[in-house]
Amino acid sequence: MKGKNSTYSAMKRAITYILHLQKTQYHLTAGLNCNTATAYEEFVLTKQNYKKENGRQYIHFIQSFSPLDKASPETIKEIADKLLQHKMFKGFQVVYAVHTDKPHLHTHFIVNTVNADTGLKWQLSKEQLQELKDCSDELCRQYGLIVVKGKEGNYKNRGEYRSKKKGASWKYELYLAVKECMRNSSSREEFITSMEKLGYKVGWEDNRKYITFITPDGKKCRNRKLYPPEKFTKENLLKTFELNKKYQDKRLLHNRMELLISSIYMLSKSTSTNQSNYPLTFLKNRDLKGDALKERIAELKKGRGLNWDKKIDHER
């Protein structure tokens, strides 16, 4: 929504925009301390009651979700309901709507800048904004959804966000490593061995609740930081290993893992630093797997002129 938010007409346009039925449905809209049908009028009455009609008339923010999430619009609406239970919204009038017109579901919130209970104007510090983001992230975790960074990213982790924006996130690379080793292992021991072949250390102790992964360059990350977190719990990993053992051919699992390790080795010899540091991300972005991956390895081997088998055995 372009334009300033300092006039009543701008506020009316904003409310009309988020409630437009080409973007949402009636049951996906709601109001906090106001009615959606009369939200504009109620906002104005509150401002006039406290004689605070100047300055910003409304606050607009969006809660966006990954297009990879499988949540229904109704679930996203439920998350919005819970987010507005945060203490920061106490006494404020808010009209909101879940939009379904884009590949990613997202909720628009329009907040009246004047508190209906106290008459105080909306103020949000950098720390309070982060608290609100953390609350949103925690709700996503509770519903098993992917936690994504906004346009600017978490202000404490902007460096990581900038790297990810360029397709080079160490945490995403770790996620891919765990995912691949998980689907190609039939035991805890095989999983740890495969992770080590990819350059990662795994701290999996029976007396500790979480697994700690250490990247090749020393960064640490617990399994609860991978999303969705319930997929990477100790219990779910062990369950997956058992299912692999029962239903998957062990030779096939071994061959898939060896093929992946081989491709990563070849990429490490590439002149591209990005490919070398984030090989799994590189392979995923190009959707290389199966025969396509074998062909890519063959091309790299041919171009490099390496004695492939001896080189791999030596480095292991």
Side-chain angles (χ1 to χ4, degrees):
M1 292 180 290
K2 296 181 180 180
K4 297 180 180 180
N5 64 351
S6 58
T7 64
Y8 278 168
S9 59
M11 182 170 69
K12 189 171 186 177
R13 283 197 302 271
I15 294 174
T16 301
Y17 170 82
I18 74 165
L19 296 177
H20 201 296
L21 292 181
Q22 286 186 348
K23 298 179 176 296
T24 186
Q25 299 177 54
Y26 182 75
H27 74 284
L28 299 177
T29 68
L32 175 69
N33 300 319
C34 66
N35 187 293
T36 54
T38 57
Y40 169 72
E41 290 79 7
E42 292 181 57
F43 280 24
V44 171
L45 285 173
T46 296
K47 295 175 188 298
Q48 291 177 345
N49 182 49
Y50 289 104
K51 295 181 175 56
K52 292 186 177 180
E53 299 183 72
N54 297 323
R56 291 188 301 175
Q57 301 299 324
Y58 67 92
I59 302 297
H60 170 227
F61 69 95
I62 305 171
Q63 186 182 35
S64 296
F65 299 84
S66 169
L68 300 177
D69 279 323
K70 303 302 182 182
S72 67
E74 289 73 20
T75 297
I76 300 304
K77 165 65 166 51
E78 188 175 316
I79 292 174
D81 296 338
K82 292 185 177 181
L83 180 65
L84 290 179
Q85 294 175 16
H86 195 283
K87 62 184 179 181
M88 291 180 192
F89 297 104
K90 185 178 180 181
F92 283 98
Q93 296 162 310
V94 186
V95 60
Y96 55 110
V98 177
H99 282 196
T100 59
D101 60 324
K102 297 288 179 64
H104 66 288
L105 295 174
H106 55 285
T107 306
H108 285 268
F109 301 81
I110 301 295
V111 185
N112 188 358
T113 50
V114 180
N115 190 293
D117 291 343
T118 65
L120 297 176
K121 297 201 75 172
W122 176 271
Q123 298 288 339
L124 201 65
S125 67
K126 186 177 181 180
E127 290 72 25
Q128 288 174 318
L129 176 59
Q130 186 61 45
E131 183 181 338
L132 199 56
K133 288 181 179 180
D134 292 341
C135 177
S136 175
D137 287 350
E138 182 57 34
L139 286 170
C140 288
R141 295 187 187 100
Q142 291 175 14
Y143 281 82
L145 303 181
I146 299 169
V147 176
V148 298
K149 299 301 181 186
K151 185 175 181 180
E152 297 301 325
N154 183 322
Y155 76 89
K156 294 180 180 178
N157 297 296
R158 285 183 180 173
E160 181 187 333
Y161 171 77
R162 284 192 293 269
S163 294
K164 187 171 184 180
K165 192 172 182 181
K166 296 176 182 177
S169 166
W170 68 267
K171 195 171 290 184
Y172 183 63
E173 183 74 8
L174 169 62
Y175 160 81
L176 292 176
V178 174
K179 186 178 177 182
E180 286 300 318
C181 292
M182 176 182 177
R183 80 184 189 96
N184 292 315
S185 300
S186 56
S187 69
R188 166 179 161 178
E189 291 71 28
E190 284 184 12
F191 171 76
I192 293 174
T193 298
S194 294
M195 287 292 291
E196 289 176 346
K197 286 182 178 180
L198 294 180
Y200 294 88
K201 295 181 181 179
V202 181
W204 186 330
E205 301 177 24
D206 293 333
N207 61 343
R208 293 185 179 276
K209 183 177 180 179
Y210 300 110
I211 302 169
T212 299
F213 299 105
I214 303 177
T215 68
D217 58 353
K219 294 185 177 68
K220 293 184 179 181
C221 181
R222 288 183 175 178
N223 56 326
R224 66 184 178 91
K225 293 291 186 180
L226 302 177
Y227 301 102
E230 64 273 10
K231 182 177 180 178
F232 301 103
T233 62
K234 285 184 176 180
E235 294 74 19
N236 195 60
L237 285 170
L238 291 172
K239 181 180 178 181
T240 301
F241 301 154
E242 284 299 316
L243 290 173
N244 288 344
K245 185 176 181 179
K246 186 175 182 179
Y247 297 108
Q248 296 281 354
D249 180 85
K250 189 168 184 178
R251 181 177 291 275
L252 176 62
L253 295 180
H254 175 77
N255 289 343
R256 280 199 315 219
M257 201 66 223
E258 289 300 298
L259 180 61
L260 183 64
I261 293 169
S262 297
S263 66
I264 290 174
Y265 172 80
M266 291 307 302
L267 286 174
S268 71
K269 300 303 178 183
S270 169
T271 55
S272 170
T273 302
N274 193 49
Q275 291 181 22
S276 177
N277 292 340
Y278 303 99
L280 291 172
T281 302
F282 174 79
L283 294 173
K284 181 175 176 60
N285 287 343
R286 284 149 185 79
D287 197 25
L288 290 177
K289 52 188 175 183
D291 292 337
L293 185 54
K294 292 178 183 177
E295 291 174 7
R296 174 63 172 157
I297 293 174
E299 290 174 7
L300 289 169
K301 286 169 64 177
K302 185 177 179 181
R304 281 289 177 183
L306 295 173
N307 187 335
W308 175 248
D309 295 327
K310 288 185 178 180
K311 197 76 175 175
I312 286 291
D313 291 338
H314 175 73
E315 293 215 352
R316 284 183 189 168

